[in-house]
Amino acid sequence: MKVLKNYLLNSSYQLLIVIIPIITIPYISRVLGTTAIGINTFINAIIQYFVLAGSIGITTYGNREIAYHQSNKEKRSQIFWEISFLRFCTIALSFTVFCIFLAFQKQNFEIYLLQSIAIIAAAFDISWYFMGVENFKRTVGRNFIVSIISVIFIFTFIKSPKDLPIYVLIITGTSLIGNLSLWPYLRKEIFAPKWKTLALGHHLKP
């Protein structure tokens, strides 16, 4: 029954992912225009390299490790904190490299800066934990709400090509807020970190 429920939740979210662009893309294309869309797409592609470099595959790895130990709260708590702090470190390194890269950019500086919120958002993404404990309701519910809010904001605030910075802020800002919104649920899920026993290195190779 739980497997079926998780399947239906995940399927409904995948359907939402398909439907939302059908609603927003025609509007965004018409309002922002090809130049603004091109700038946004190009910069977003660059930002995703920094997100990928900073995330180092932790979403898949963390999901698997939590799934292995989901019945042992103490063990999964330790694993969660080790992987989370490792990701904070790697994202911080990636963001530092991005800042160096940004120093050489003379055009669209503001868009680069707003897009970089996506790198910070990646540091706080703990959806892999909830997937590992098979609590799809948390992640799907969060993603659903964030997606709906972003659509409302897009139709409310995006009216012309000059609103490109606002559009980028809506996309990256809702992503960051959505990731942060999952953290309060951890209070009932895991124990506080044991700082003296945290070992990050052995997670780096896998």
Side-chain angles (χ1 to χ4, degrees):
M1 187 65 184
K2 186 176 182 180
V3 174
L4 178 61
K5 182 180 178 181
N6 288 336
Y7 172 77
L8 291 174
L9 285 169
N10 194 45
S11 297
S12 63
Y13 177 63
Q14 294 303 319
L15 182 61
L16 181 69
I17 290 176
V18 174
I19 292 173
I20 285 181
I22 294 175
I23 298 172
T24 59
I25 286 178
Y27 177 77
I28 290 299
S29 299
R30 177 172 59 84
V31 172
L32 290 183
T34 55
T35 300
I37 293 275
I39 291 171
N40 178 62
T41 303
F42 174 74
I43 294 176
N44 180 257
I46 293 173
I47 292 296
Q48 290 307 311
Y49 282 112
F50 291 99
V51 172
L52 287 171
S55 296
I56 60 172
I58 278 176
T59 298
T60 302
Y61 172 72
N63 183 352
R64 186 190 70 188
E65 290 299 298
I66 293 297
Y68 284 158
H69 304 281
Q70 62 176 294
S71 59
N72 186 334
K73 186 174 181 179
E74 184 172 355
K75 182 66 176 177
R76 77 169 188 259
S77 299
Q78 189 75 357
I79 290 172
F80 169 80
W81 289 116
E82 289 176 349
I83 293 177
S84 292
F85 283 122
L86 174 62
R87 193 176 202 177
F88 286 147
C89 293
T90 54
I91 289 289
L93 178 60
S94 180
F95 192 77
T96 300
V97 175
F98 168 77
C99 289
I100 296 172
F101 166 81
L102 187 61
F104 294 94
Q105 303 307 309
K106 296 181 180 180
Q107 293 183 327
N108 303 310
F109 184 87
E110 182 183 19
I111 305 302
Y112 273 106
L113 203 58
L114 291 172
Q115 284 277 16
S116 71
I117 296 174
I119 305 174
I120 299 171
F124 295 98
D125 181 12
I126 54 171
S127 58
W128 52 269
Y129 170 83
F130 291 97
M131 291 179 183
V133 294
E134 298 182 33
N135 190 344
F136 286 81
K137 184 178 179 180
R138 289 275 183 254
T139 54
V140 172
R142 182 282 308 266
N143 291 337
F144 183 85
I145 293 171
V146 168
S147 298
I148 295 301
I149 290 174
S150 65
V151 169
I152 293 172
F153 281 3
I154 286 171
F155 282 105
T156 303
F157 297 107
I158 309 304
K159 301 297 181 183
S160 69
K162 68 179 182 180
D163 293 329
L164 176 60
I166 300 175
Y167 173 70
V168 174
L169 182 60
I170 288 171
I171 300 301
T172 58
T174 52
S175 176
L176 175 59
I177 292 171
N179 289 347
L180 290 173
S181 70
L182 287 176
W183 283 80
Y185 294 109
L186 290 174
R187 288 179 295 180
K188 297 180 180 179
E189 290 280 339
I190 60 174
F191 297 121
K194 297 179 180 179
W195 302 104
K196 293 183 179 180
T197 59
L198 287 181
L200 310 185
H202 68 282
H203 293 292
L204 192 57
K205 185 178 178 180

